[in-house]
Amino acid sequence: MLEDKTELLKKKIDPLRLKFPTSVISEFLDYWTEPKQRWELEKTWDTERRLTRWANNNFTPKRTEIKGFQTQPQKGPTNEIERLDQFLMAYKKHPTNFQFIDLAKWYDLMKENKLLRPFTKAEVLEIQEVYKNDNLKCRAACVYETFKGYAKTDLIFSDILKMRK
């Protein structure tokens, strides 16, 4: 029964997956699907509005004590490059936790800041052919290929930008 209710909320979230990072959706689900299905206890519920507010407020329950250990509250990212760095760090730790298509949302920011790896004409044509010119998937592929390179290093995007100054 509990699994059915969790699946119901997941189905409500499915159309919103391109709008939010996988990490935000995971944290949101962890919080709202406690054993009592917290989301069902609310008087009113609009999944998209709740998830938007969650993401905009960078809401992650900040616990100062976890299993008896004191921890410092986490400082959230303050700009898009820091958000991109945070996404990259999470990707490096668990690349399979992310939907391929989620990578596409970083394309414009990375292109604007010259953070995408250079692609040859042949590579671009191959990506276009593989993804049948689906612009969103082609963008995701470019970000994916760039992330693969960075995942092998300790560099993050803000480091690259600092080195250029």
Side-chain angles (χ1 to χ4, degrees), residues 34 79 123 157 160:
E34 289 180 349
N79 61 46
E123 289 173 319
F157 297 108
I160 302 298

Side-chain angles (χ1 to χ4, degrees), residues 19-77:
K19 192 173 179 181
F20 300 96
T22 304
S23 60
V24 169
I25 290 173
S26 294
E27 291 165 1
F28 182 83
L29 280 169
D30 286 347
Y31 181 83
W32 287 105
T33 59
E34 289 180 349
K36 290 188 177 185
Q37 294 293 316
R38 185 180 286 194
W39 70 278
E40 287 190 322
L41 299 175
E42 296 295 313
K43 288 181 181 177
T44 61
W45 183 266
D46 180 318
T47 303
E48 184 171 6
R49 288 183 73 183
R50 294 276 180 154
L51 194 49
T52 298
R53 183 165 184 236
W54 184 280
N56 288 343
N57 291 339
N58 195 22
F59 183 79
T60 301
K62 291 174 177 60
R63 298 180 179 107
T64 56
E65 190 174 319
I66 300 172
K67 294 185 181 176
F69 294 98
Q70 291 293 330
T71 60
Q72 295 295 324
Q74 295 175 341
K75 178 188 158 216

Side-chain angles (χ1 to χ4, degrees), residues 85-122:
D85 285 341
Q86 189 177 49
F87 191 89
L88 175 65
M89 298 298 282
Y91 177 85
K92 284 179 177 183
K93 288 181 184 175
H94 302 287
T96 58
N97 283 357
F98 297 92
Q99 301 274 331
F100 173 74
I101 210 70
D102 287 347
L103 299 174
K105 72 179 178 183
W106 298 108
Y107 179 86
D108 289 328
L109 178 67
M110 292 174 70
K111 184 175 181 180
E112 176 184 316
N113 288 282
K114 296 179 174 67
L115 294 168
L116 287 170
R117 83 162 180 81
F119 290 90
T120 66
K121 182 74 172 167

Side-chain angles (χ1 to χ4, degrees), residues 6 9 19 51 60 83 89 96 120 133 152 156 165:
T6 300
L9 183 57
K19 192 173 179 181
L51 194 49
T60 301
R83 284 183 183 82
M89 298 298 282
T96 58
T120 66
N133 287 320
K152 296 174 186 173
I156 55 177
K165 289 182 179 180

